[in-house]
Amino acid sequence: MITDSKPSILPSVKRLNSVELYCSEYVMNARFVYQAFDLTGEYDWVYDQTLYSIFSLFTSHGWTELPAGTSVTVFTDRPERFEPLTELLDIQLLDEERILRGMGSTRFIHRLKLDLLAQAADGTTVPLIYLDGDTWLLSSFESHLRSISPSVSLMHTPESRVSEVENTVVKKAVGQIPQSYLPSGYQPESTMLYNAGLIGLHPSQFSLIDDAIRLTDCGTEFGYSHVWEQFAVSVMLDNATQVAAADDVVFHYWSQREQYNAMISELLGAIRARGLEAESAIHYVQENPISILSEKRVSSLKRVWKRALGQSKVVAARMQDSINAVQASRKAS
């Protein structure tokens, strides 16, 4: 469903084999959040990869509808790209003005993630689970959802101490960020940098989103880096909560995007060619899951990927350049 208001909750639940999956006391009680947009026409794959991630959320839990207490919010400028699941989702429409506003004065593309998460948090009383489009669930998220509490948050996986971050721009800025933007007790030697492909927050932690936005804005003043939002969320959560990793059930393929997107497009193309509606499409994805590539195959394809486009940070930089070009064109007109 497409709306500008808070999501409605679909109460009925069915397992794919028609056996009841949830007993009365089992309710997910969470709001899952995605974003997918393309102002430039160059990154059409963002819609398919996000749709496949949502399919994986359904198939990994045996849903053909959402259980009571669970919603899936998708911020997008192209709601039609989420058929045949649109009626199961809370679609929040994005336009160019909202997208650019969410990127802030520096037009930092990844700031929008946090801005939309703050919008989703408004009025929400259950945990928020943000997922990047280039993720999918390997199995049920139940145990991780149950672990979220006022003292425990979720991110995808730890990567390095902030003091050991390899990104040159961030490394130079770490010691220069004013204390007023940082949490009490923050030390780069003890703060962990986590991958932000997944962010899970308890309602009591929602105020940290605004703190992370402020820190992101401060960081971008030191120069462009595609990890500023990741840095900001990690700093806030690692200093206020115990951060738990969820990479055992969430696969994040940012560095192999090209090869996985090709497989996703083929699968979704088959669904569209057959004209499948939601329940049948979910069955089809469950019966034809995309396999994770072997390490040998990944290594081979990563070399091709590096030669063709470079690391994922190059893609991020190109997306940022595209947004800057949109902004320049907007000003000129």
Side-chain angles (χ1 to χ4, degrees):
M1 60 192 67
I2 302 172
T3 178
D4 292 320
S5 60
K6 296 179 180 64
S8 61
I9 305 300
L10 301 177
S12 58
V13 186
K14 290 183 285 184
R15 195 172 185 174
L16 294 183
N17 61 7
S18 300
V19 176
E20 184 172 300
L21 176 62
Y22 290 95
C23 55
S24 59
E25 67 268 22
Y26 180 89
V27 182
M28 286 291 281
N29 285 332
R31 187 176 187 180
F32 292 86
V33 180
Y34 290 90
Q35 59 166 336
F37 65 92
D38 179 19
L39 291 181
T40 67
E42 298 178 37
Y43 305 102
D44 188 68
W45 40 263
V46 301
Y47 304 105
D48 277 1
Q49 68 176 22
T50 305
L51 178 56
Y52 184 75
S53 183
I54 296 169
F55 268 117
S56 78
L57 178 62
F58 278 78
T59 59
S60 64
H61 294 92
W63 300 336
T64 53
E65 297 179 6
L66 291 172
T70 306
S71 59
V72 179
T73 295
V74 183
F75 291 96
T76 185
D77 57 346
R78 297 280 304 279
E80 71 278 5
R81 294 297 300 270
F82 292 89
E83 293 291 354
L85 300 185
T86 304
E87 291 304 312
L88 301 179
L89 308 175
D90 167 44
I91 301 289
Q92 297 288 321
L93 287 170
L94 294 177
D95 57 21
E96 182 179 302
E97 181 180 358
R98 176 67 183 92
I99 292 169
L100 293 175
R101 175 161 50 86
M103 293 179 186
S105 60
T106 60
R107 294 295 182 252
F108 178 47
I109 190 170
H110 298 305
R111 182 190 189 274
L112 179 62
K113 173 196 295 190
L114 303 184
D115 199 64
L116 295 176
L117 196 54
Q119 180 178 329
D122 186 24
T124 297
T125 58
V126 296
L128 284 178
I129 311 297
Y130 169 85
L131 289 162
D132 276 349
D134 54 354
T135 63
W136 75 65
L137 272 75
L138 303 170
S139 59
S140 170
F141 201 75
E142 178 192 356
S143 62
H144 286 292
L145 186 59
R146 289 185 184 278
S147 75
I148 295 177
S149 71
S151 61
V152 178
S153 61
L154 298 177
M155 292 188 74
H156 182 248
T157 190
E159 294 186 342
S160 71
R161 299 290 177 188
V162 168
S163 59
E164 300 167 349
V165 66
E166 295 182 359
N167 185 279
T168 304
V169 174
V170 175
K171 194 167 190 174
K172 287 181 178 179
V174 163
Q176 303 178 52
I177 296 173
Q179 185 59 47
S180 60
Y181 290 92
L182 299 166
S184 175
Y186 160 76
Q187 295 292 334
E189 296 81 10
S190 58
T191 299
M192 183 65 70
L193 186 71
Y194 291 84
N195 183 280
L198 178 148
I199 302 170
L201 302 172
H202 186 271
S204 64
Q205 299 158 2
F206 290 170
S207 63
L208 296 174
I209 302 171
D210 288 335
D211 294 337
I213 291 173
R214 289 180 65 249
L215 181 53
T216 298
D217 289 342
C218 176
T220 55
E221 295 297 331
F222 289 92
Y224 172 77
S225 166
H226 70 289
V227 301
W228 274 125
E229 129 276 346
Q230 174 188 356
F231 168 82
V233 175
S234 296
V235 166
M236 292 304 164
L237 292 186
D238 201 37
N239 282 272
T241 71
Q242 176 185 345
V243 181
D247 54 335
D248 59 329
V249 300
V250 177
F251 177 54
H252 192 190
Y253 56 93
W254 72 96
S255 61
Q256 299 101 39
R257 185 184 295 114
E258 186 177 62
Q259 52 266 39
Y260 282 112
N261 282 349
M263 291 186 282
I264 288 170
S265 293
E266 182 178 357
L267 176 68
L268 296 182
I271 289 172
R272 290 164 182 146
R274 288 166 170 79
L276 300 181
E277 296 185 356
E279 184 169 349
S280 297
I282 294 168
H283 277 286
Y284 187 87
V285 172
Q286 189 192 41
E287 293 165 359
N288 300 276
I290 294 174
S291 300
I292 295 178
L293 300 171
S294 67
E295 287 299 318
K296 182 177 180 180
R297 180 67 172 154
V298 166
S299 298
S300 174
L301 288 171
K302 282 175 86 172
R303 287 195 294 272
V304 175
W305 172 245
K306 288 179 182 179
R307 287 198 301 269
L309 291 175
Q311 298 281 6
S312 60
K313 64 183 179 182
V314 175
V315 177
R318 287 182 175 177
M319 293 178 78
Q320 185 69 49
D321 289 343
S322 297
I323 293 300
N324 293 341
V326 169
Q327 176 66 5
S329 174
R330 207 164 178 256
K331 286 182 178 178
S333 61

